[in-house]
């Protein structure tokens, strides 16, 4: 499927996978650490770790030869998921935490709470709905171009 959102969900869309990545960002690397943190069945954890390794988000490294034991460390692709994780956390806190935020992002030096926003790297402008839109990319096929043209026409009708 050419949709980048569908491709991303194919790699991390299962909720255990996202929680494993969350724990990896917190420094967990070993099977027993993930299992203790998540209270996940061993067979499910094995499958999800294997899927994340196959998707290139985690790398499996031998840390003990006898008996063989492995750790799972974030790859560059895995590290690139961090802003997505931060955005999900901020969205979850904003809309689904009536009791208040259970975890937040803070400045590592000052411990001041951050308010995460997605910005354009070139201009540093927040990517608001009013100022930015989705568009067909250079590798878009005819179906994607048609869908984007349809969405653009619908947007212009509601705006105009």
């Amino acid at each position: 499927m050419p949709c980048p959102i569908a491709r991303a969900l194919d790699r991390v869309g299962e909720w255990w996978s996202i929680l494993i990545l969350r724990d990896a960002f917190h420094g967990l690397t070993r099977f027993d650490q993930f299992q203790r943190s998540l209270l996940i069945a061993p067979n499910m954890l094995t499958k999800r770790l294997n899927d994340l390794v196959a998707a290139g988000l985690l790398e499996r490294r031998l840390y003990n030869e006898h008996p063989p034991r492995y750790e799972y460390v974030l790859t560059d692709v895995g590290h690139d998921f961090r802003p997505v994780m931060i955005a999900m956390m901020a969205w979850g806190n904003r809309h689904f935490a009536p009791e208040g935020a259970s975890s937040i992002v803070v400045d590592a030096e000052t411990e001041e709470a951050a308010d995460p926003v997605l910005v354009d790297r070139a201009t540093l402008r927040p990517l608001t709905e009013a100022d930015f839109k989705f568009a067909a990319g250079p590798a878009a096929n005819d179906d994607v171009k048609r869908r984007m043209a349809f969405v653009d026409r619908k947007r212009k009708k509601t705006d105009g």
Side-chain angles (χ1 to χ4, degrees):
M1 173 168 274
C3 174
I5 295 170
R7 288 178 181 173
L9 285 173
D10 190 42
R11 271 82 174 176
V12 297
E14 202 283 326
W15 72 288
W16 282 120
S17 298
I18 293 174
L19 296 178
I20 290 167
L21 290 170
R22 177 205 60 196
D23 282 357
F25 284 115
H26 292 314
L28 277 60
T29 59
R30 298 189 177 168
F31 188 94
D32 61 317
Q33 294 172 333
F34 290 118
Q35 190 175 24
R36 211 171 26 254
S37 172
L38 298 170
L39 303 176
I40 183 175
N43 62 329
M44 180 63 69
L45 179 56
T46 298
K47 176 163 180 23
R48 295 299 163 227
L49 287 169
N50 288 339
D51 289 348
L52 289 166
V53 168
L57 284 100
L58 293 177
E59 179 184 334
R60 187 174 130 153
R61 292 184 189 159
L62 184 69
Y63 73 86
N64 190 42
E65 289 192 27
H66 301 291
R69 298 272 188 246
Y70 297 90
E71 63 182 359
Y72 298 86
V73 295
L74 290 162
T75 63
D76 289 342
V77 174
H79 281 286
D80 278 352
F81 190 71
R82 189 169 190 273
V84 177
M85 186 78 62
I86 290 170
M88 288 176 71
M89 183 175 58
W91 183 69
N93 280 338
R94 189 174 311 114
H95 298 288
F96 307 111
E99 72 288 354
S102 60
S103 64
I104 59 173
V105 176
V106 299
D107 183 294
E109 207 172 289
T110 67
E111 296 287 321
E112 291 291 319
D115 183 16
V117 295
L118 190 60
V119 299
D120 173 51
R121 186 183 306 269
T123 65
L124 299 181
R125 290 173 40 219
L127 295 176
T128 63
E129 205 170 348
D131 295 332
F132 291 86
K133 66 178 186 170
F134 294 99
N141 63 24
D142 289 340
D143 289 339
V144 172
K145 290 175 185 173
R146 270 193 297 278
R147 185 173 63 246
M148 291 300 178
F150 172 76
V151 169
D152 208 32
R153 284 192 305 277
K154 294 282 288 176
R155 183 174 179 254
K156 285 178 183 172
K157 277 185 184 178
T158 38
D159 288 350

